[in-house]
Amino acid sequence: VYGTRGRATPRAGEFREGIIVVKPGADLDAVAARVRELGFEATTRGTAFEAMVREIDGVVRVVKRVAFGFGAVILALAAGLLWSTTSRIVADSRVDIGLFRALGATKGDVRRLFLSEAVLLGMLGTLVGMLIGWGIAFYLSRWSLSEARQSLADAEQMLVLPDSVFQIDVVFCLQLLVAAAGVSILAGLLPANRAANVDPVQALKRE
């Protein structure tokens, strides 16, 4: 308690912290509990490592939130890009659209054609992105565990380390694909409606 009395350094017989060495086979948790009963804080190697793991887990959660934020921005950019791409395809396909309509295709047929193309582009892009993300996450997990094993000298702590921290959340991936399909439909809806409303006579007259 000397730190609370205004002294920066301890006097003789005063200590800020200490190390307790126990015999092999001793119950560390019981010793730590007894130290706490005496009014002191007690930390074992195991609890210190668990605290470090919890701290790392907290950092990972923050990184995940940041990643989701970037993901939302990227999703908005992807939707804009998909809208632009579909609009360009519609503009370049006006003659084909006029020919389809002249052959008996309805507005609904044309709309479904371009919406299907937009969904296909969106889901293919999502699948490619997930594959790249899985590859990066796999190698990052191997690298981080390799670095952790080199920095640990205690065999007990090394046993606590998992063999891998890489895992695939199948439910989340399926939800992501469904969301990608929904965003693709929204992004391609306006260009698809524009394509459906193309006048076949005017389109073929331009040709």
Side-chain angles (χ1 to χ4, degrees):
V1 293
Y2 62 86
T4 61
R5 295 177 182 174
R7 299 196 304 276
T9 57
R11 293 176 180 173
E14 293 180 332
F15 301 92
R16 183 187 298 274
E17 62 183 13
I19 298 176
I20 300 176
V21 181
V22 299
K23 295 180 179 180
D27 189 348
L28 296 180
D29 293 331
V31 175
R34 178 56 180 158
V35 172
R36 295 189 186 98
E37 291 175 359
L38 296 174
F40 300 98
E41 294 182 2
T43 302
T44 63
R45 288 183 178 181
T47 56
F49 183 70
E50 290 174 0
M52 182 183 69
V53 171
R54 286 194 296 269
E55 183 178 352
I56 294 175
D57 185 61
V59 173
V60 171
R61 291 182 181 180
V62 173
V63 172
K64 282 184 177 180
R65 293 191 182 98
V66 174
F68 278 123
F70 278 112
V73 174
I74 293 173
L75 182 63
L77 293 175
L81 181 61
L82 187 60
W83 173 82
S84 176
T85 302
T86 308
S87 297
R88 183 63 183 174
I89 294 173
V90 171
D92 293 340
S93 304
R94 292 182 64 87
V95 176
D96 296 330
I97 295 171
L99 183 60
F100 290 157
R101 292 295 309 280
L103 293 175
T106 64
K107 290 185 176 181
D109 295 332
V110 176
R111 186 180 293 108
R112 282 191 295 271
L113 176 65
F114 285 96
L115 280 179
S116 300
E117 186 171 2
V119 171
L120 180 62
L121 289 174
M123 295 193 71
L124 282 177
T126 303
L127 284 172
V128 171
M130 283 195 297
L131 291 175
I132 294 174
W134 291 344
I136 294 175
F138 176 75
Y139 284 106
L140 281 179
S141 67
R142 292 187 61 181
W143 174 81
S144 60
L145 287 175
S146 176
E147 291 294 320
R149 289 191 179 95
Q150 292 178 6
S151 63
L152 293 178
D154 193 339
E156 294 181 0
Q157 294 180 359
M158 293 184 68
L159 289 174
V160 179
L161 283 177
D163 294 331
S164 174
V165 293
F166 173 76
Q167 60 180 358
I168 297 176
D169 191 339
V170 178
V171 175
F172 176 75
C173 291
L174 293 176
Q175 292 174 347
L176 189 61
L177 288 174
V178 172
V183 172
S184 300
I185 291 174
L186 293 176
L189 188 60
L190 185 59
N193 286 332
R194 192 182 302 123
N197 293 323
V198 169
D199 187 352
V201 176
Q202 295 296 327
L204 293 175
K205 185 182 296 185
R206 288 184 182 182
E207 182 64 16

